[in-house]
PDB file of all heavy atoms in Angstrom:
ATOM      1  N   GLU A  55       7.571  28.570  11.189  1.00  0.00           N
ATOM      2  CA  GLU A  55       7.806  29.908  11.753  1.00  0.00           C
ATOM      3  C   GLU A  55       8.507  30.817  10.727  1.00  0.00           C
ATOM      4  O   GLU A  55       8.438  32.036  10.827  1.00  0.00           O
ATOM      5  CB  GLU A  55       8.670  29.836  13.016  1.00  0.00           C
ATOM      6  CG  GLU A  55       7.993  29.163  14.203  1.00  0.00           C
ATOM      7  CD  GLU A  55       7.925  27.653  14.064  1.00  0.00           C
ATOM      8  OE1 GLU A  55       8.876  27.059  13.509  1.00  0.00           O
ATOM      9  OE2 GLU A  55       6.907  27.066  14.474  1.00  0.00           O
ATOM     10  N   ALA A  56       9.207  30.215   9.772  1.00  0.00           N
ATOM     11  CA  ALA A  56       9.968  31.017   8.804  1.00  0.00           C
ATOM     12  C   ALA A  56       9.033  31.632   7.755  1.00  0.00           C
ATOM     13  O   ALA A  56       7.958  31.098   7.476  1.00  0.00           O
ATOM     14  CB  ALA A  56      11.005  30.139   8.117  1.00  0.00           C
ATOM     15  N   ALA A  57       9.464  32.741   7.167  1.00  0.00           N
ATOM     16  CA  ALA A  57       8.643  33.421   6.157  1.00  0.00           C
ATOM     17  C   ALA A  57       8.505  32.561   4.904  1.00  0.00           C
ATOM     18  O   ALA A  57       7.489  32.620   4.213  1.00  0.00           O
ATOM     19  CB  ALA A  57       9.276  34.769   5.809  1.00  0.00           C
ATOM     20  N   VAL A  58       9.536  31.800   4.596  1.00  0.00           N
ATOM     21  CA  VAL A  58       9.482  30.844   3.483  1.00  0.00           C
ATOM     22  C   VAL A  58      10.048  29.533   4.031  1.00  0.00           C
ATOM     23  O   VAL A  58      11.120  29.533   4.631  1.00  0.00           O
ATOM     24  CB  VAL A  58      10.353  31.307   2.293  1.00  0.00           C
ATOM     25  CG1 VAL A  58      10.255  30.318   1.133  1.00  0.00           C
ATOM     26  CG2 VAL A  58       9.954  32.704   1.825  1.00  0.00           C
ATOM     27  N   TYR A  59       9.313  28.424   3.878  1.00  0.00           N
ATOM     28  CA  TYR A  59       9.849  27.155   4.367  1.00  0.00           C
ATOM     29  C   TYR A  59       9.426  26.011   3.458  1.00  0.00           C
ATOM     30  O   TYR A  59       8.509  26.163   2.638  1.00  0.00           O
ATOM     31  CB  TYR A  59       9.427  26.896   5.824  1.00  0.00           C
ATOM     32  CG  TYR A  59       7.982  26.532   6.035  1.00  0.00           C
ATOM     33  CD1 TYR A  59       7.589  25.205   6.168  1.00  0.00           C
ATOM     34  CD2 TYR A  59       7.005  27.513   6.116  1.00  0.00           C
ATOM     35  CE1 TYR A  59       6.263  24.850   6.370  1.00  0.00           C
ATOM     36  CE2 TYR A  59       5.674  27.171   6.314  1.00  0.00           C
ATOM     37  CZ  TYR A  59       5.317  25.844   6.441  1.00  0.00           C
ATOM     38  OH  TYR A  59       4.001  25.511   6.632  1.00  0.00           O
ATOM     39  N   GLN A  60      10.125  24.912   3.602  1.00  0.00           N
ATOM     40  CA  GLN A  60       9.887  23.786   2.700  1.00  0.00           C
ATOM     41  C   GLN A  60       9.594  22.501   3.463  1.00  0.00           C
ATOM     42  O   GLN A  60      10.066  22.309   4.579  1.00  0.00           O
ATOM     43  CB  GLN A  60      11.122  23.563   1.807  1.00  0.00           C
ATOM     44  CG  GLN A  60      11.319  24.713   0.831  1.00  0.00           C
ATOM     45  CD  GLN A  60      12.524  24.531  -0.063  1.00  0.00           C
ATOM     46  OE1 GLN A  60      13.584  24.137   0.403  1.00  0.00           O
ATOM     47  NE2 GLN A  60      12.365  24.838  -1.336  1.00  0.00           N
ATOM     48  N   GLU A  61       8.826  21.629   2.797  1.00  0.00           N
ATOM     49  CA  GLU A  61       8.553  20.289   3.330  1.00  0.00           C
ATOM     50  C   GLU A  61       8.750  19.293   2.188  1.00  0.00           C
ATOM     51  O   GLU A  61       8.309  19.547   1.065  1.00  0.00           O
ATOM     52  CB  GLU A  61       7.110  20.176   3.800  1.00  0.00           C
ATOM     53  CG  GLU A  61       6.749  21.018   5.003  1.00  0.00           C
ATOM     54  CD  GLU A  61       5.293  20.794   5.385  1.00  0.00           C
ATOM     55  OE1 GLU A  61       4.408  21.193   4.604  1.00  0.00           O
ATOM     56  OE2 GLU A  61       5.046  20.214   6.452  1.00  0.00           O
ATOM     57  N   PHE A  62       9.397  18.165   2.491  1.00  0.00           N
ATOM     58  CA  PHE A  62       9.662  17.134   1.496  1.00  0.00           C
ATOM     59  C   PHE A  62       8.862  15.870   1.853  1.00  0.00           C
ATOM     60  O   PHE A  62       8.844  15.469   3.023  1.00  0.00           O
ATOM     61  CB  PHE A  62      11.159  16.777   1.481  1.00  0.00           C
ATOM     62  CG  PHE A  62      12.038  17.897   0.969  1.00  0.00           C
ATOM     63  CD1 PHE A  62      12.230  19.057   1.702  1.00  0.00           C
ATOM     64  CD2 PHE A  62      12.674  17.776  -0.251  1.00  0.00           C
ATOM     65  CE1 PHE A  62      13.030  20.083   1.223  1.00  0.00           C
ATOM     66  CE2 PHE A  62      13.481  18.794  -0.737  1.00  0.00           C
ATOM     67  CZ  PHE A  62      13.662  19.954   0.003  1.00  0.00           C
ATOM     68  N   PHE A  63       8.250  15.277   0.823  1.00  0.00           N
ATOM     69  CA  PHE A  63       7.432  14.082   1.072  1.00  0.00           C
ATOM     70  C   PHE A  63       7.761  12.978   0.066  1.00  0.00           C
ATOM     71  O   PHE A  63       8.122  13.250  -1.080  1.00  0.00           O
ATOM     72  CB  PHE A  63       5.947  14.422   0.959  1.00  0.00           C
ATOM     73  CG  PHE A  63       5.494  15.426   1.976  1.00  0.00           C
ATOM     74  CD1 PHE A  63       5.349  16.760   1.642  1.00  0.00           C
ATOM     75  CD2 PHE A  63       5.247  15.033   3.291  1.00  0.00           C
ATOM     76  CE1 PHE A  63       4.959  17.694   2.594  1.00  0.00           C
ATOM     77  CE2 PHE A  63       4.856  15.963   4.246  1.00  0.00           C
ATOM     78  CZ  PHE A  63       4.714  17.299   3.899  1.00  0.00           C
ATOM     79  N   LEU A  64       7.576  11.740   0.541  1.00  0.00           N
ATOM     80  CA  LEU A  64       7.794  10.571  -0.305  1.00  0.00           C
ATOM     81  C   LEU A  64       6.532   9.721  -0.315  1.00  0.00           C
ATOM     82  O   LEU A  64       5.817   9.659   0.685  1.00  0.00           O
ATOM     83  CB  LEU A  64       8.940   9.721   0.240  1.00  0.00           C
ATOM     84  CG  LEU A  64      10.281  10.428   0.450  1.00  0.00           C
ATOM     85  CD1 LEU A  64      11.266   9.476   1.126  1.00  0.00           C
ATOM     86  CD2 LEU A  64      10.844  10.917  -0.885  1.00  0.00           C
ATOM     87  N   ALA A  65       6.269   9.065  -1.448  1.00  0.00           N
ATOM     88  CA  ALA A  65       5.228   8.043  -1.511  1.00  0.00           C
ATOM     89  C   ALA A  65       5.943   6.709  -1.346  1.00  0.00           C
ATOM     90  O   ALA A  65       6.719   6.304  -2.226  1.00  0.00           O
ATOM     91  CB  ALA A  65       4.492   8.103  -2.850  1.00  0.00           C
ATOM     92  N   GLY A  66       5.738   6.064  -0.213  1.00  0.00           N
ATOM     93  CA  GLY A  66       6.444   4.813   0.070  1.00  0.00           C
ATOM     94  C   GLY A  66       5.510   3.625  -0.010  1.00  0.00           C
ATOM     95  O   GLY A  66       4.316   3.716   0.324  1.00  0.00           O
ATOM     96  N   GLU A  67       6.053   2.514  -0.496  1.00  0.00           N
ATOM     97  CA  GLU A  67       5.282   1.272  -0.556  1.00  0.00           C
ATOM     98  C   GLU A  67       6.200   0.155  -0.054  1.00  0.00           C
ATOM     99  O   GLU A  67       7.187  -0.174  -0.725  1.00  0.00           O
ATOM    100  CB  GLU A  67       4.837   0.988  -1.991  1.00  0.00           C
ATOM    101  CG  GLU A  67       4.005  -0.274  -2.119  1.00  0.00           C
ATOM    102  CD  GLU A  67       3.853  -0.715  -3.572  1.00  0.00           C
ATOM    103  OE1 GLU A  67       4.852  -0.735  -4.305  1.00  0.00           O
ATOM    104  OE2 GLU A  67       2.727  -1.039  -3.950  1.00  0.00           O
ATOM    105  N   ASP A  68       5.889  -0.384   1.093  1.00  0.00           N
ATOM    106  CA  ASP A  68       6.719  -1.452   1.695  1.00  0.00           C
ATOM    107  C   ASP A  68       8.193  -1.047   1.737  1.00  0.00           C
ATOM    108  O   ASP A  68       9.078  -1.834   1.370  1.00  0.00           O
ATOM    109  CB  ASP A  68       6.555  -2.772   0.917  1.00  0.00           C
ATOM    110  CG  ASP A  68       5.091  -3.226   0.900  1.00  0.00           C
ATOM    111  OD1 ASP A  68       4.386  -2.966   1.896  1.00  0.00           O
ATOM    112  OD2 ASP A  68       4.674  -3.816  -0.107  1.00  0.00           O
ATOM    113  N   GLY A  69       8.461   0.178   2.121  1.00  0.00           N
ATOM    114  CA  GLY A  69       9.843   0.635   2.260  1.00  0.00           C
ATOM    115  C   GLY A  69      10.514   1.040   0.957  1.00  0.00           C
ATOM    116  O   GLY A  69      11.685   1.417   0.951  1.00  0.00           O
ATOM    117  N   VAL A  70       9.767   0.995  -0.153  1.00  0.00           N
ATOM    118  CA  VAL A  70      10.326   1.398  -1.451  1.00  0.00           C
ATOM    119  C   VAL A  70       9.699   2.735  -1.849  1.00  0.00           C
ATOM    120  O   VAL A  70       8.502   2.935  -1.672  1.00  0.00           O
ATOM    121  CB  VAL A  70      10.022   0.323  -2.537  1.00  0.00           C
ATOM    122  CG1 VAL A  70      10.568   0.767  -3.896  1.00  0.00           C
ATOM    123  CG2 VAL A  70      10.595  -1.019  -2.119  1.00  0.00           C
ATOM    124  N   VAL A  71      10.528   3.659  -2.374  1.00  0.00           N
ATOM    125  CA  VAL A  71      10.009   4.971  -2.787  1.00  0.00           C
ATOM    126  C   VAL A  71       9.378   4.847  -4.163  1.00  0.00           C
ATOM    127  O   VAL A  71      10.017   4.389  -5.113  1.00  0.00           O
ATOM    128  CB  VAL A  71      11.150   6.019  -2.803  1.00  0.00           C
ATOM    129  CG1 VAL A  71      10.632   7.353  -3.336  1.00  0.00           C
ATOM    130  CG2 VAL A  71      11.730   6.191  -1.409  1.00  0.00           C
ATOM    131  N   ARG A  72       8.114   5.240  -4.278  1.00  0.00           N
ATOM    132  CA  ARG A  72       7.393   5.190  -5.554  1.00  0.00           C
ATOM    133  C   ARG A  72       7.063   6.586  -6.076  1.00  0.00           C
ATOM    134  O   ARG A  72       6.538   6.729  -7.182  1.00  0.00           O
ATOM    135  CB  ARG A  72       6.089   4.406  -5.404  1.00  0.00           C
ATOM    136  CG  ARG A  72       6.278   2.972  -4.949  1.00  0.00           C
ATOM    137  CD  ARG A  72       7.063   2.168  -5.965  1.00  0.00           C
ATOM    138  NE  ARG A  72       7.149   0.764  -5.587  1.00  0.00           N
ATOM    139  CZ  ARG A  72       7.964  -0.103  -6.176  1.00  0.00           C
ATOM    140  NH1 ARG A  72       8.776   0.276  -7.155  1.00  0.00           N
ATOM    141  NH2 ARG A  72       7.999  -1.352  -5.782  1.00  0.00           N
ATOM    142  N   GLY A  73       7.310   7.594  -5.273  1.00  0.00           N
ATOM    143  CA  GLY A  73       7.014   8.950  -5.707  1.00  0.00           C
ATOM    144  C   GLY A  73       7.573   9.939  -4.696  1.00  0.00           C
ATOM    145  O   GLY A  73       7.942   9.550  -3.575  1.00  0.00           O
ATOM    146  N   ALA A  74       7.666  11.200  -5.101  1.00  0.00           N
ATOM    147  CA  ALA A  74       8.223  12.223  -4.209  1.00  0.00           C
ATOM    148  C   ALA A  74       7.799  13.600  -4.687  1.00  0.00           C
ATOM    149  O   ALA A  74       7.534  13.800  -5.881  1.00  0.00           O
ATOM    150  CB  ALA A  74       9.749  12.109  -4.203  1.00  0.00           C
ATOM    151  N   TYR A  75       7.717  14.532  -3.776  1.00  0.00           N
ATOM    152  CA  TYR A  75       7.494  15.932  -4.133  1.00  0.00           C
ATOM    153  C   TYR A  75       7.905  16.794  -2.961  1.00  0.00           C
ATOM    154  O   TYR A  75       8.157  16.283  -1.855  1.00  0.00           O
ATOM    155  CB  TYR A  75       6.020  16.194  -4.498  1.00  0.00           C
ATOM    156  CG  TYR A  75       5.057  16.280  -3.334  1.00  0.00           C
ATOM    157  CD1 TYR A  75       4.752  17.510  -2.733  1.00  0.00           C
ATOM    158  CD2 TYR A  75       4.454  15.132  -2.810  1.00  0.00           C
ATOM    159  CE1 TYR A  75       3.866  17.590  -1.666  1.00  0.00           C
ATOM    160  CE2 TYR A  75       3.571  15.207  -1.737  1.00  0.00           C
ATOM    161  CZ  TYR A  75       3.277  16.436  -1.171  1.00  0.00           C
ATOM    162  OH  TYR A  75       2.413  16.510  -0.121  1.00  0.00           O
ATOM    163  N   PHE A  76       8.033  18.102  -3.206  1.00  0.00           N
ATOM    164  CA  PHE A  76       8.202  18.993  -2.070  1.00  0.00           C
ATOM    165  C   PHE A  76       7.410  20.268  -2.262  1.00  0.00           C
ATOM    166  O   PHE A  76       6.985  20.601  -3.382  1.00  0.00           O
ATOM    167  CB  PHE A  76       9.673  19.246  -1.728  1.00  0.00           C
ATOM    168  CG  PHE A  76      10.509  19.998  -2.724  1.00  0.00           C
ATOM    169  CD1 PHE A  76      10.792  21.339  -2.515  1.00  0.00           C
ATOM    170  CD2 PHE A  76      11.054  19.373  -3.821  1.00  0.00           C
ATOM    171  CE1 PHE A  76      11.608  22.041  -3.393  1.00  0.00           C
ATOM    172  CE2 PHE A  76      11.868  20.053  -4.717  1.00  0.00           C
ATOM    173  CZ  PHE A  76      12.147  21.389  -4.501  1.00  0.00           C
ATOM    174  N   LEU A  77       7.169  20.926  -1.156  1.00  0.00           N
ATOM    175  CA  LEU A  77       6.400  22.172  -1.144  1.00  0.00           C
ATOM    176  C   LEU A  77       7.287  23.302  -0.638  1.00  0.00           C
ATOM    177  O   LEU A  77       8.026  23.116   0.329  1.00  0.00           O
ATOM    178  CB  LEU A  77       5.195  22.066  -0.203  1.00  0.00           C
ATOM    179  CG  LEU A  77       4.090  21.068  -0.563  1.00  0.00           C
ATOM    180  CD1 LEU A  77       3.051  21.015   0.564  1.00  0.00           C
ATOM    181  CD2 LEU A  77       3.424  21.457  -1.880  1.00  0.00           C
ATOM    182  N   THR A  78       7.210  24.439  -1.306  1.00  0.00           N
ATOM    183  CA  THR A  78       7.787  25.659  -0.739  1.00  0.00           C
ATOM    184  C   THR A  78       6.614  26.517  -0.286  1.00  0.00           C
ATOM    185  O   THR A  78       5.801  26.951  -1.111  1.00  0.00           O
ATOM    186  CB  THR A  78       8.635  26.428  -1.774  1.00  0.00           C
ATOM    187  OG1 THR A  78       9.658  25.573  -2.267  1.00  0.00           O
ATOM    188  CG2 THR A  78       9.270  27.664  -1.142  1.00  0.00           C
ATOM    189  N   HIS A  79       6.508  26.674   0.997  1.00  0.00           N
ATOM    190  CA  HIS A  79       5.414  27.470   1.559  1.00  0.00           C
ATOM    191  C   HIS A  79       5.824  28.940   1.572  1.00  0.00           C
ATOM    192  O   HIS A  79       6.939  29.272   1.995  1.00  0.00           O
ATOM    193  CB  HIS A  79       5.108  27.033   2.992  1.00  0.00           C
ATOM    194  CG  HIS A  79       4.579  25.642   3.084  1.00  0.00           C
ATOM    195  ND1 HIS A  79       3.242  25.345   2.960  1.00  0.00           N
ATOM    196  CD2 HIS A  79       5.213  24.460   3.288  1.00  0.00           C
ATOM    197  CE1 HIS A  79       3.072  24.030   3.096  1.00  0.00           C
ATOM    198  NE2 HIS A  79       4.249  23.477   3.295  1.00  0.00           N
ATOM    199  N   GLU A  80       4.937  29.799   1.106  1.00  0.00           N
ATOM    200  CA  GLU A  80       5.242  31.233   1.082  1.00  0.00           C
ATOM    201  C   GLU A  80       3.949  32.008   1.305  1.00  0.00           C
ATOM    202  O   GLU A  80       2.878  31.413   1.385  1.00  0.00           O
ATOM    203  CB  GLU A  80       5.883  31.594  -0.269  1.00  0.00           C
ATOM    204  CG  GLU A  80       5.088  31.110  -1.469  1.00  0.00           C
ATOM    205  CD  GLU A  80       5.888  31.100  -2.768  1.00  0.00           C
ATOM    206  OE1 GLU A  80       7.057  30.660  -2.754  1.00  0.00           O
ATOM    207  OE2 GLU A  80       5.335  31.542  -3.789  1.00  0.00           O
ATOM    208  N   SER A  81       4.064  33.294   1.409  1.00  0.00           N
ATOM    209  CA  SER A  81       2.866  34.131   1.578  1.00  0.00           C
ATOM    210  C   SER A  81       2.662  34.956   0.328  1.00  0.00           C
ATOM    211  O   SER A  81       3.625  35.428  -0.275  1.00  0.00           O
ATOM    212  CB  SER A  81       3.026  35.067   2.778  1.00  0.00           C
ATOM    213  OG  SER A  81       3.117  34.315   3.959  1.00  0.00           O
ATOM    214  N   TRP A  82       1.409  35.125  -0.029  1.00  0.00           N
ATOM    215  CA  TRP A  82       1.044  35.964  -1.167  1.00  0.00           C
ATOM    216  C   TRP A  82       0.096  37.059  -0.682  1.00  0.00           C
ATOM    217  O   TRP A  82      -0.623  36.877   0.307  1.00  0.00           O
ATOM    218  CB  TRP A  82       0.319  35.133  -2.224  1.00  0.00           C
ATOM    219  CG  TRP A  82       1.227  34.345  -3.123  1.00  0.00           C
ATOM    220  CD1 TRP A  82       2.341  33.627  -2.766  1.00  0.00           C
ATOM    221  CD2 TRP A  82       1.080  34.196  -4.534  1.00  0.00           C
ATOM    222  NE1 TRP A  82       2.881  33.047  -3.871  1.00  0.00           N
ATOM    223  CE2 TRP A  82       2.140  33.370  -4.969  1.00  0.00           C
ATOM    224  CE3 TRP A  82       0.159  34.669  -5.470  1.00  0.00           C
ATOM    225  CZ2 TRP A  82       2.306  33.016  -6.312  1.00  0.00           C
ATOM    226  CZ3 TRP A  82       0.324  34.313  -6.794  1.00  0.00           C
ATOM    227  CH2 TRP A  82       1.394  33.504  -7.203  1.00  0.00           C
ATOM    228  N   SER A  83       0.104  38.137  -1.421  1.00  0.00           N
ATOM    229  CA  SER A  83      -0.910  39.159  -1.234  1.00  0.00           C
ATOM    230  C   SER A  83      -1.910  38.974  -2.372  1.00  0.00           C
ATOM    231  O   SER A  83      -1.551  39.091  -3.545  1.00  0.00           O
ATOM    232  CB  SER A  83      -0.260  40.551  -1.295  1.00  0.00           C
ATOM    233  OG  SER A  83      -1.263  41.534  -1.388  1.00  0.00           O
ATOM    234  N   ILE A  84      -3.162  38.638  -2.003  1.00  0.00           N
ATOM    235  CA  ILE A  84      -4.210  38.460  -3.023  1.00  0.00           C
ATOM    236  C   ILE A  84      -5.303  39.473  -2.725  1.00  0.00           C
ATOM    237  O   ILE A  84      -5.948  39.409  -1.686  1.00  0.00           O
ATOM    238  CB  ILE A  84      -4.775  37.022  -3.010  1.00  0.00           C
ATOM    239  CG1 ILE A  84      -3.644  36.018  -3.276  1.00  0.00           C
ATOM    240  CG2 ILE A  84      -5.893  36.868  -4.041  1.00  0.00           C
ATOM    241  CD1 ILE A  84      -4.058  34.557  -3.205  1.00  0.00           C
ATOM    242  N   GLY A  85      -5.457  40.414  -3.618  1.00  0.00           N
ATOM    243  CA  GLY A  85      -6.409  41.506  -3.374  1.00  0.00           C
ATOM    244  C   GLY A  85      -6.081  42.250  -2.091  1.00  0.00           C
ATOM    245  O   GLY A  85      -6.981  42.738  -1.401  1.00  0.00           O
ATOM    246  N   GLY A  86      -4.805  42.314  -1.758  1.00  0.00           N
ATOM    247  CA  GLY A  86      -4.377  43.043  -0.566  1.00  0.00           C
ATOM    248  C   GLY A  86      -4.416  42.226   0.713  1.00  0.00           C
ATOM    249  O   GLY A  86      -3.971  42.680   1.756  1.00  0.00           O
ATOM    250  N   GLU A  87      -4.952  41.006   0.623  1.00  0.00           N
ATOM    251  CA  GLU A  87      -5.016  40.142   1.820  1.00  0.00           C
ATOM    252  C   GLU A  87      -3.851  39.144   1.779  1.00  0.00           C
ATOM    253  O   GLU A  87      -3.591  38.518   0.745  1.00  0.00           O
ATOM    254  CB  GLU A  87      -6.350  39.376   1.803  1.00  0.00           C
ATOM    255  CG  GLU A  87      -6.579  38.513   3.007  1.00  0.00           C
ATOM    256  CD  GLU A  87      -7.751  37.546   2.810  1.00  0.00           C
ATOM    257  OE1 GLU A  87      -8.591  37.783   1.922  1.00  0.00           O
ATOM    258  OE2 GLU A  87      -7.802  36.545   3.542  1.00  0.00           O
ATOM    259  N   ILE A  88      -3.156  38.999   2.898  1.00  0.00           N
ATOM    260  CA  ILE A  88      -2.017  38.076   2.947  1.00  0.00           C
ATOM    261  C   ILE A  88      -2.521  36.653   3.173  1.00  0.00           C
ATOM    262  O   ILE A  88      -3.274  36.388   4.123  1.00  0.00           O
ATOM    263  CB  ILE A  88      -1.019  38.481   4.059  1.00  0.00           C
ATOM    264  CG1 ILE A  88      -0.512  39.912   3.819  1.00  0.00           C
ATOM    265  CG2 ILE A  88       0.148  37.503   4.124  1.00  0.00           C
ATOM    266  CD1 ILE A  88       0.241  40.141   2.522  1.00  0.00           C
ATOM    267  N   CYS A  89      -2.131  35.741   2.286  1.00  0.00           N
ATOM    268  CA  CYS A  89      -2.596  34.345   2.325  1.00  0.00           C
ATOM    269  C   CYS A  89      -1.407  33.402   2.257  1.00  0.00           C
ATOM    270  O   CYS A  89      -0.410  33.697   1.598  1.00  0.00           O
ATOM    271  CB  CYS A  89      -3.458  34.007   1.110  1.00  0.00           C
ATOM    272  SG  CYS A  89      -4.756  35.155   0.768  1.00  0.00           S
ATOM    273  N   ALA A  90      -1.557  32.237   2.892  1.00  0.00           N
ATOM    274  CA  ALA A  90      -0.546  31.185   2.770  1.00  0.00           C
ATOM    275  C   ALA A  90      -0.787  30.427   1.459  1.00  0.00           C
ATOM    276  O   ALA A  90      -1.909  30.017   1.167  1.00  0.00           O
ATOM    277  CB  ALA A  90      -0.637  30.233   3.953  1.00  0.00           C
ATOM    278  N   VAL A  91       0.280  30.286   0.689  1.00  0.00           N
ATOM    279  CA  VAL A  91       0.229  29.607  -0.617  1.00  0.00           C
ATOM    280  C   VAL A  91       1.453  28.702  -0.660  1.00  0.00           C
ATOM    281  O   VAL A  91       2.427  28.938   0.050  1.00  0.00           O
ATOM    282  CB  VAL A  91       0.278  30.669  -1.761  1.00  0.00           C
ATOM    283  CG1 VAL A  91       0.500  30.043  -3.126  1.00  0.00           C
ATOM    284  CG2 VAL A  91      -1.003  31.492  -1.783  1.00  0.00           C
TER     285      VAL A  91
END
Side-chain angles (χ1 to χ4, degrees):
Chain A
E55 292 75 35
V58 181
Y59 72 98
Q60 292 180 316
E61 293 181 292
F62 292 70
F63 297 100
L64 305 174
E67 181 194 46
D68 301 327
V70 178
V71 176
R72 300 297 185 192
Y75 76 92
F76 66 102
L77 295 175
T78 303
H79 295 273
E80 51 197 44
S81 296
W82 279 42
S83 168
I84 301 176
E87 183 193 341
I88 302 299
C89 310
V91 169

